[in-house]
Amino acid sequence: MLNNGINHLNSKVKFLPKTMQSIWAGQPVALLAWLQDNEPETLEKARYIFMVKDLIRFYLTGEATQELTDISGTNLINVRDRCYDDELLAFLGRTIVEK
């Protein structure tokens, strides 16, 4: 069933041309889609989405930053433009205030 959902994600938004990768179940974009469908209140509380080392950096410095090499593997950015992609984020019901 999860594979069908992932295929649906790929076809609905056409992630591949923008992210240069297919979606697999362990990627943040798939996990965020699951949260959006099953626990939207959890996602509503989120201010940031971090990779583990970026969360540690945030705790140590208070800076909310991510490295391109890490975030490019999340399917949340357009790797050609090196920025968050509004269409990808809109699919998840998210917007980025600071780009």
Side-chain angles (χ1 to χ4, degrees):
M1 183 185 297
L2 183 56
N3 192 29
N4 289 338
I6 292 170
N7 288 335
H8 176 67
L9 284 174
N10 277 323
S11 63
K12 184 168 184 173
V13 183
K14 306 204 186 306
F15 280 80
L16 187 61
K18 294 179 178 217
T19 63
M20 306 306 228
Q21 53 190 298
S22 296
I23 297 171
W24 56 276
Q27 283 180 313
V29 72
L31 299 172
L32 290 168
W34 185 91
L35 281 170
Q36 184 71 30
D37 290 344
N38 297 284
E39 294 183 23
E41 65 283 354
T42 300
L43 205 50
E44 284 299 317
K45 293 176 189 176
R47 183 170 180 193
Y48 303 112
I49 299 168
F50 288 126
M51 303 303 282
V52 173
K53 70 181 181 78
D54 299 319
L55 178 61
I56 294 169
R57 181 186 304 121
F58 177 71
Y59 286 151
L60 293 172
T61 68
E63 289 184 38
T65 62
Q66 294 182 319
E67 294 181 29
L68 181 61
T69 54
D70 287 337
I71 199 69
S72 67
T74 65
N75 273 314
L76 294 171
I77 67 165
N78 183 324
V79 294
R80 290 183 185 178
D81 296 339
R82 295 180 170 203
C83 64
Y84 286 100
D85 189 280
D86 290 332
E87 184 180 11
L88 299 174
L89 294 165
F91 177 75
L92 295 170
R94 304 283 95 196
T95 57
I96 295 293
V97 176
E98 299 175 29
K99 289 188 180 184

